[in-house]
Amino acid sequence: MQDSLLQVENLKTWLASGKSVVRAVDGISFRIARNQTFALLGESGCGKSMTALSIMRLLPDAGRIEAGAIQLEGLDLLGLPEVAMRGVRGKRISMIFQEPMTSLNPVMTLGRQIAESLNCHTTLSGEAVRNRVLELLRAVGIPDEARRYDEYPFQLSGGMKQRVMIAIALAGEPDLLIADEPTTALDVTIQAQVLDLLRTLQQQRNMSILLITHDLGVVSEMAHQVAVMYAGEIVELAPREQFFSSPFHPYSRKLFASLPGKAKRAQNLEVITGSVPPLTQAFSGCRFASRCDHVMDICHSKAPEWTELATGHSVRCHLVAVQAGGRGSEVAVPVASVQDAGNGVLQAPLLEVANLKVHFPIYRGLFRQVVGYVKAVDDVSLTIRKGRTLALVGESGCGKTTVGKGILQLLKPTGGSVRFAGTELTSLSGRELRAQRADFQIIFQDPYASLDPRMMVADIIEEGMAALGIGIAAERQASIDSILQQVGLSPEIKYRYPHEFSGGQRQRIAIARALAVNPRLIVCDEPTSALDVSVQAQILNLLKKLQDDLGLSYLFITHNLSVVEYLAHEVAVMYLGRIVEQGDAKEVMNQPRHPYTQALLSAVPAIEKKEGREAIRLKGDLPSPSNPPSGCHFHPRCAHVMPVCKEAYPGVSDISATHVTRCHLYGAGSEVL
C-alpha cells in the first residue's frame, strides 16, 4: 500500500495480571491508507480497543508495548517521548471513545470542552476560539449551536453527545480518526446520522478512519478494508467486497452465520461453541481450534501462517492447504418456510392492553406544584396470544420500557386496561397482584446490573420462588438444577457469583430466574443489545426453544430490527408514547406504511443491499414527551407532512386484516387498535 498513512508491524501489547501476563495484542500488522476506512472487527475481548489505545499510547498502568512498530507517515510513534506524543494526540490522531457520557466532563459546558482541544492544538485565542467551536458544532450537525455552547452533557441525547465527541476529535483536524464502537449504544436512526456524518467529514477532510466494531452491517456500509481479530491476533484481512462475498476463515463464517434475519426464522442460528481462550497462555497452535468445526490435528500443534487467497485478501488458517484456493463463501443459509405454531388456529389473547397511559407529573416551585406531565405512554393498545412474540420497537425515549413496566404493574398506569388471562390487573389489590406475579416476569437489558453481586446464582434464582411460596427448600434446589440445564448451564455453577460469568452466561442466569416461577408471559427488555453477535445467537436460540417447549409468550422490546425479523410474530412500532404502526411481522417489515417505520428500516446497516429502498434520514431528535408536537407527533421530522398533520392526530387506518397504521397519508379508519 503505497500511500499508507499508518503502518503497524508485529505489535505486541501485554498487560500484567497478578503473576501472569495477558497477551492482549499478540503480533498484529496492518496498514491504513489515506482517505480510507479500515475496520477492525471481532468479539469483545479480542484486543480491538487495546490496539487503538496502543496506537494512541494511552495504555493502562498495567499495560506495556512489548514489541513492534507504529509509524505515522514515517514518524515512529513508539520512539517519541511523552511530551512529543501529546502533540500527536488530538492533532494528527484523534479518538472517539465508545461511551460518550463517560468521556465528556459532566461539570464543563460543551463549548469549553471543545475549546480545550483547540487551545492545545491550535494558535487560536479569545473570540476566534468561540467562533471555531460554533463552526465545529455546525459541522457535526448540532442545531442551535450558540445555545448548545453553554449547555452540559446531561442536556443532550445520546446521538448529540456522540456528535460533540466527534467535534472534539475533529478540533485538531487530524489525519487519522479512531472510532471505537461509535454507534453501539445508539438507535438505528441516530446511528445512520452519525455514520453519514463520518463519511461526509472523511470526504471533506481527506481523513482516514480506524473503525472498531462488532457490527457487520456497519462494516459493510463504512469500510474499505476489513481485518477480523480473534484472541489477540488478526486472522483475516481483505478489501470489503472480497470479505463480504467470500469470507474464508471459519471464525469469519461463523460471525455471518450467527446473524439473525427473516431467512432463518424456521431454524436455529449458528453459534460458536465454547469461549475465547485465556490470553494468559502461550499458544502453540491455532487459537480458534477449540471452537472450529473444521479443526484438524495440525491445528492443535502448529500456528497457521498467513496465506494470500487473492489480491489483498489474506487469511491465517490451515484450511488453505487442504482447500486449494479456498471454498468461497458458505455463509448463505437457505430460506426455509415459516409455519406458525397452533396449525393456523388463533387462540384467545393471553394479554390484552387497551388505551394504556403512564404519565409522570412535573413538579415546580417551593410547594412542588404539578405544572405538567411527561406522557411516557399515551394511549397504547396491543394484544399477545399464547406462544407468540410481539416485538415493540422504536427509538430510545419513546416509552417502550415504560409500556413493559406498566403491563407488569411495576409502574402504576395513569389510565387504561391491562387484562391478563381475563383478569384486570389494574384493579387488583397488592395481595391479589402478588398472587399473580408468577404468571409474568421480566428480563432486563443489563444482566450485570439486575443480578445482585452479593448473592450466589442459586440464591438469585430461588429468591422469587421463595417469595411466591413455590415448593419447599429441597424441591426448589432440584428445580434450580433443572432450570439451569434448561438454559444451557451446568448445575455446578449455582454456588458462584455473577461476576464470575461472561455477559452471555449472566443473561442465561437472568432468564433462569424468570423461568423459576413458571411464567406464561415474559417481558424481554433489550436482552441481547449488549452482547456480541455469537452470544446473541445463543440467547435467541434459547428463547425460541423455550417458547416452543413451554408455550411462552414474549413482549420483546428492542431496536434491533434483524432480531425482530428472526423472532417476532407481530410488530408494534412506537413513537413518542404512541403506537404508529402494528401488525403481522412479515407485513410490517416488508411493506412498512408509516413514514417513521420506513425511516427505521432504511436506517439499518445492511450487508445485502436491498434494491429500490432509498435511505431515509430523519432530521433532529425525538421531541420531549412533556411537550409533544401538536397533531401527529412525527410531523416535525416527516418528509410527507401535510397541513392536517399539524392539526389533528391521525386515526387508525387498516392496511389489511392484520396490519394497521396511524397516518394521514392513508386516511382515518377505525379508532380501535
PDB file of all heavy atoms in Angstrom, residues 183-204:
ATOM      1  N   THR A 183     -21.181   3.748  17.451  1.00  0.00           N
ATOM      2  CA  THR A 183     -22.647   3.734  17.341  1.00  0.00           C
ATOM      3  C   THR A 183     -23.293   2.615  18.154  1.00  0.00           C
ATOM      4  O   THR A 183     -24.496   2.396  18.030  1.00  0.00           O
ATOM      5  CB  THR A 183     -23.076   3.566  15.866  1.00  0.00           C
ATOM      6  OG1 THR A 183     -22.573   2.315  15.357  1.00  0.00           O
ATOM      7  CG2 THR A 183     -22.536   4.700  15.012  1.00  0.00           C
ATOM      8  N   THR A 184     -22.532   1.927  19.004  1.00  0.00           N
ATOM      9  CA  THR A 184     -23.055   0.744  19.701  1.00  0.00           C
ATOM     10  C   THR A 184     -24.278   1.062  20.550  1.00  0.00           C
ATOM     11  O   THR A 184     -25.240   0.305  20.579  1.00  0.00           O
ATOM     12  CB  THR A 184     -21.955   0.120  20.580  1.00  0.00           C
ATOM     13  OG1 THR A 184     -20.912  -0.364  19.726  1.00  0.00           O
ATOM     14  CG2 THR A 184     -22.505  -1.049  21.382  1.00  0.00           C
ATOM     15  N   ALA A 185     -24.257   2.179  21.261  1.00  0.00           N
ATOM     16  CA  ALA A 185     -25.349   2.484  22.193  1.00  0.00           C
ATOM     17  C   ALA A 185     -26.449   3.335  21.569  1.00  0.00           C
ATOM     18  O   ALA A 185     -27.348   3.788  22.269  1.00  0.00           O
ATOM     19  CB  ALA A 185     -24.781   3.200  23.423  1.00  0.00           C
ATOM     20  N   LEU A 186     -26.405   3.533  20.253  1.00  0.00           N
ATOM     21  CA  LEU A 186     -27.341   4.453  19.603  1.00  0.00           C
ATOM     22  C   LEU A 186     -28.454   3.708  18.875  1.00  0.00           C
ATOM     23  O   LEU A 186     -28.274   2.586  18.409  1.00  0.00           O
ATOM     24  CB  LEU A 186     -26.591   5.340  18.609  1.00  0.00           C
ATOM     25  CG  LEU A 186     -25.411   6.157  19.160  1.00  0.00           C
ATOM     26  CD1 LEU A 186     -24.791   6.980  18.050  1.00  0.00           C
ATOM     27  CD2 LEU A 186     -25.858   7.052  20.304  1.00  0.00           C
ATOM     28  N   ASP A 187     -29.611   4.366  18.750  1.00  0.00           N
ATOM     29  CA  ASP A 187     -30.700   3.841  17.933  1.00  0.00           C
ATOM     30  C   ASP A 187     -30.281   3.824  16.469  1.00  0.00           C
ATOM     31  O   ASP A 187     -29.378   4.560  16.051  1.00  0.00           O
ATOM     32  CB  ASP A 187     -31.945   4.721  18.090  1.00  0.00           C
ATOM     33  CG  ASP A 187     -32.504   4.662  19.496  1.00  0.00           C
ATOM     34  OD1 ASP A 187     -32.657   3.561  20.014  1.00  0.00           O
ATOM     35  OD2 ASP A 187     -32.764   5.733  20.060  1.00  0.00           O
ATOM     36  N   VAL A 188     -30.989   3.019  15.663  1.00  0.00           N
ATOM     37  CA  VAL A 188     -30.600   2.892  14.261  1.00  0.00           C
ATOM     38  C   VAL A 188     -30.703   4.216  13.507  1.00  0.00           C
ATOM     39  O   VAL A 188     -29.893   4.502  12.618  1.00  0.00           O
ATOM     40  CB  VAL A 188     -31.435   1.805  13.549  1.00  0.00           C
ATOM     41  CG1 VAL A 188     -31.035   0.428  14.024  1.00  0.00           C
ATOM     42  CG2 VAL A 188     -32.931   2.034  13.735  1.00  0.00           C
ATOM     43  N   THR A 189     -31.686   5.051  13.854  1.00  0.00           N
ATOM     44  CA  THR A 189     -31.830   6.329  13.157  1.00  0.00           C
ATOM     45  C   THR A 189     -30.668   7.265  13.488  1.00  0.00           C
ATOM     46  O   THR A 189     -30.111   7.926  12.610  1.00  0.00           O
ATOM     47  CB  THR A 189     -33.155   7.004  13.539  1.00  0.00           C
ATOM     48  OG1 THR A 189     -33.262   7.056  14.971  1.00  0.00           O
ATOM     49  CG2 THR A 189     -34.333   6.251  12.982  1.00  0.00           C
ATOM     50  N   ILE A 190     -30.283   7.327  14.767  1.00  0.00           N
ATOM     51  CA  ILE A 190     -29.159   8.172  15.176  1.00  0.00           C
ATOM     52  C   ILE A 190     -27.857   7.574  14.654  1.00  0.00           C
ATOM     53  O   ILE A 190     -26.947   8.293  14.229  1.00  0.00           O
ATOM     54  CB  ILE A 190     -29.112   8.319  16.711  1.00  0.00           C
ATOM     55  CG1 ILE A 190     -30.469   8.798  17.247  1.00  0.00           C
ATOM     56  CG2 ILE A 190     -28.012   9.277  17.118  1.00  0.00           C
ATOM     57  CD1 ILE A 190     -30.925  10.112  16.684  1.00  0.00           C
ATOM     58  N   GLN A 191     -27.756   6.231  14.674  1.00  0.00           N
ATOM     59  CA  GLN A 191     -26.572   5.560  14.135  1.00  0.00           C
ATOM     60  C   GLN A 191     -26.364   5.940  12.676  1.00  0.00           C
ATOM     61  O   GLN A 191     -25.244   6.239  12.243  1.00  0.00           O
ATOM     62  CB  GLN A 191     -26.735   4.045  14.253  1.00  0.00           C
ATOM     63  CG  GLN A 191     -25.637   3.243  13.567  1.00  0.00           C
ATOM     64  CD  GLN A 191     -25.842   1.750  13.713  1.00  0.00           C
ATOM     65  OE1 GLN A 191     -25.301   1.120  14.602  1.00  0.00           O
ATOM     66  NE2 GLN A 191     -26.645   1.166  12.848  1.00  0.00           N
ATOM     67  N   ALA A 192     -27.450   5.943  11.900  1.00  0.00           N
ATOM     68  CA  ALA A 192     -27.345   6.297  10.483  1.00  0.00           C
ATOM     69  C   ALA A 192     -26.853   7.728  10.313  1.00  0.00           C
ATOM     70  O   ALA A 192     -26.029   8.013   9.432  1.00  0.00           O
ATOM     71  CB  ALA A 192     -28.703   6.112   9.807  1.00  0.00           C
ATOM     72  N   GLN A 193     -27.331   8.647  11.171  1.00  0.00           N
ATOM     73  CA  GLN A 193     -26.885  10.036  11.100  1.00  0.00           C
ATOM     74  C   GLN A 193     -25.395  10.158  11.390  1.00  0.00           C
ATOM     75  O   GLN A 193     -24.663  10.874  10.697  1.00  0.00           O
ATOM     76  CB  GLN A 193     -27.677  10.891  12.100  1.00  0.00           C
ATOM     77  CG  GLN A 193     -29.151  11.044  11.771  1.00  0.00           C
ATOM     78  CD  GLN A 193     -29.904  11.800  12.859  1.00  0.00           C
ATOM     79  OE1 GLN A 193     -29.299  12.450  13.700  1.00  0.00           O
ATOM     80  NE2 GLN A 193     -31.218  11.700  12.849  1.00  0.00           N
ATOM     81  N   VAL A 194     -24.930   9.439  12.430  1.00  0.00           N
ATOM     82  CA  VAL A 194     -23.518   9.510  12.817  1.00  0.00           C
ATOM     83  C   VAL A 194     -22.626   8.923  11.722  1.00  0.00           C
ATOM     84  O   VAL A 194     -21.576   9.484  11.385  1.00  0.00           O
ATOM     85  CB  VAL A 194     -23.285   8.792  14.165  1.00  0.00           C
ATOM     86  CG1 VAL A 194     -21.795   8.657  14.466  1.00  0.00           C
ATOM     87  CG2 VAL A 194     -23.984   9.549  15.295  1.00  0.00           C
ATOM     88  N   LEU A 195     -23.036   7.792  11.138  1.00  0.00           N
ATOM     89  CA  LEU A 195     -22.240   7.176  10.078  1.00  0.00           C
ATOM     90  C   LEU A 195     -22.192   8.066   8.840  1.00  0.00           C
ATOM     91  O   LEU A 195     -21.138   8.211   8.197  1.00  0.00           O
ATOM     92  CB  LEU A 195     -22.803   5.795   9.725  1.00  0.00           C
ATOM     93  CG  LEU A 195     -22.721   4.727  10.823  1.00  0.00           C
ATOM     94  CD1 LEU A 195     -23.317   3.415  10.328  1.00  0.00           C
ATOM     95  CD2 LEU A 195     -21.292   4.513  11.289  1.00  0.00           C
ATOM     96  N   ASP A 196     -23.331   8.682   8.485  1.00  0.00           N
ATOM     97  CA  ASP A 196     -23.350   9.629   7.362  1.00  0.00           C
ATOM     98  C   ASP A 196     -22.411  10.802   7.625  1.00  0.00           C
ATOM     99  O   ASP A 196     -21.691  11.259   6.727  1.00  0.00           O
ATOM    100  CB  ASP A 196     -24.767  10.159   7.131  1.00  0.00           C
ATOM    101  CG  ASP A 196     -25.656   9.152   6.416  1.00  0.00           C
ATOM    102  OD1 ASP A 196     -25.119   8.174   5.864  1.00  0.00           O
ATOM    103  OD2 ASP A 196     -26.882   9.338   6.420  1.00  0.00           O
ATOM    104  N   LEU A 197     -22.435  11.288   8.868  1.00  0.00           N
ATOM    105  CA  LEU A 197     -21.573  12.403   9.247  1.00  0.00           C
ATOM    106  C   LEU A 197     -20.101  12.039   9.099  1.00  0.00           C
ATOM    107  O   LEU A 197     -19.306  12.814   8.543  1.00  0.00           O
ATOM    108  CB  LEU A 197     -21.882  12.813  10.692  1.00  0.00           C
ATOM    109  CG  LEU A 197     -20.963  13.865  11.321  1.00  0.00           C
ATOM    110  CD1 LEU A 197     -21.071  15.177  10.554  1.00  0.00           C
ATOM    111  CD2 LEU A 197     -21.330  14.064  12.788  1.00  0.00           C
ATOM    112  N   LEU A 198     -19.719  10.847   9.583  1.00  0.00           N
ATOM    113  CA  LEU A 198     -18.323  10.410   9.486  1.00  0.00           C
ATOM    114  C   LEU A 198     -17.890  10.295   8.021  1.00  0.00           C
ATOM    115  O   LEU A 198     -16.772  10.693   7.657  1.00  0.00           O
ATOM    116  CB  LEU A 198     -18.132   9.076  10.201  1.00  0.00           C
ATOM    117  CG  LEU A 198     -18.209   9.116  11.730  1.00  0.00           C
ATOM    118  CD1 LEU A 198     -18.111   7.703  12.311  1.00  0.00           C
ATOM    119  CD2 LEU A 198     -17.105   9.986  12.310  1.00  0.00           C
ATOM    120  N   ARG A 199     -18.773   9.749   7.175  1.00  0.00           N
ATOM    121  CA  ARG A 199     -18.439   9.619   5.748  1.00  0.00           C
ATOM    122  C   ARG A 199     -18.243  10.999   5.100  1.00  0.00           C
ATOM    123  O   ARG A 199     -17.296  11.213   4.344  1.00  0.00           O
ATOM    124  CB  ARG A 199     -19.544   8.851   5.012  1.00  0.00           C
ATOM    125  CG  ARG A 199     -19.382   7.347   5.053  1.00  0.00           C
ATOM    126  CD  ARG A 199     -20.339   6.693   4.064  1.00  0.00           C
ATOM    127  NE  ARG A 199     -21.725   6.883   4.455  1.00  0.00           N
ATOM    128  CZ  ARG A 199     -22.439   5.997   5.138  1.00  0.00           C
ATOM    129  NH1 ARG A 199     -21.899   4.843   5.478  1.00  0.00           N
ATOM    130  NH2 ARG A 199     -23.703   6.233   5.459  1.00  0.00           N
ATOM    131  N   THR A 200     -19.147  11.922   5.421  1.00  0.00           N
ATOM    132  CA  THR A 200     -19.058  13.268   4.841  1.00  0.00           C
ATOM    133  C   THR A 200     -17.784  13.980   5.282  1.00  0.00           C
ATOM    134  O   THR A 200     -17.073  14.579   4.472  1.00  0.00           O
ATOM    135  CB  THR A 200     -20.291  14.104   5.254  1.00  0.00           C
ATOM    136  OG1 THR A 200     -21.470  13.444   4.815  1.00  0.00           O
ATOM    137  CG2 THR A 200     -20.234  15.498   4.657  1.00  0.00           C
ATOM    138  N   LEU A 201     -17.491  13.917   6.582  1.00  0.00           N
ATOM    139  CA  LEU A 201     -16.296  14.577   7.109  1.00  0.00           C
ATOM    140  C   LEU A 201     -15.026  13.953   6.532  1.00  0.00           C
ATOM    141  O   LEU A 201     -14.035  14.654   6.277  1.00  0.00           O
ATOM    142  CB  LEU A 201     -16.288  14.494   8.634  1.00  0.00           C
ATOM    143  CG  LEU A 201     -17.389  15.292   9.342  1.00  0.00           C
ATOM    144  CD1 LEU A 201     -17.436  14.950  10.820  1.00  0.00           C
ATOM    145  CD2 LEU A 201     -17.173  16.793   9.155  1.00  0.00           C
ATOM    146  N   GLN A 202     -15.053  12.647   6.333  1.00  0.00           N
ATOM    147  CA  GLN A 202     -13.894  11.969   5.744  1.00  0.00           C
ATOM    148  C   GLN A 202     -13.613  12.491   4.337  1.00  0.00           C
ATOM    149  O   GLN A 202     -12.466  12.771   3.981  1.00  0.00           O
ATOM    150  CB  GLN A 202     -14.132  10.455   5.713  1.00  0.00           C
ATOM    151  CG  GLN A 202     -12.973   9.656   5.144  1.00  0.00           C
ATOM    152  CD  GLN A 202     -13.239   8.169   5.178  1.00  0.00           C
ATOM    153  OE1 GLN A 202     -14.329   7.709   4.846  1.00  0.00           O
ATOM    154  NE2 GLN A 202     -12.252   7.399   5.592  1.00  0.00           N
ATOM    155  N   GLN A 203     -14.664  12.643   3.553  1.00  0.00           N
ATOM    156  CA  GLN A 203     -14.501  13.135   2.187  1.00  0.00           C
ATOM    157  C   GLN A 203     -14.054  14.590   2.168  1.00  0.00           C
ATOM    158  O   GLN A 203     -13.201  14.978   1.359  1.00  0.00           O
ATOM    159  CB  GLN A 203     -15.817  12.980   1.423  1.00  0.00           C
ATOM    160  CG  GLN A 203     -16.216  11.528   1.185  1.00  0.00           C
ATOM    161  CD  GLN A 203     -17.657  11.387   0.727  1.00  0.00           C
ATOM    162  OE1 GLN A 203     -18.352  12.372   0.547  1.00  0.00           O
ATOM    163  NE2 GLN A 203     -18.105  10.151   0.548  1.00  0.00           N
ATOM    164  N   GLN A 204     -14.597  15.400   3.074  1.00  0.00           N
ATOM    165  CA  GLN A 204     -14.255  16.826   3.098  1.00  0.00           C
ATOM    166  C   GLN A 204     -12.822  17.068   3.553  1.00  0.00           C
ATOM    167  O   GLN A 204     -12.154  17.989   3.068  1.00  0.00           O
ATOM    168  CB  GLN A 204     -15.218  17.582   4.017  1.00  0.00           C
ATOM    169  CG  GLN A 204     -16.646  17.653   3.509  1.00  0.00           C
ATOM    170  CD  GLN A 204     -17.588  18.269   4.530  1.00  0.00           C
ATOM    171  OE1 GLN A 204     -17.239  18.456   5.702  1.00  0.00           O
ATOM    172  NE2 GLN A 204     -18.808  18.596   4.093  1.00  0.00           N
TER     173      GLN A 204
END
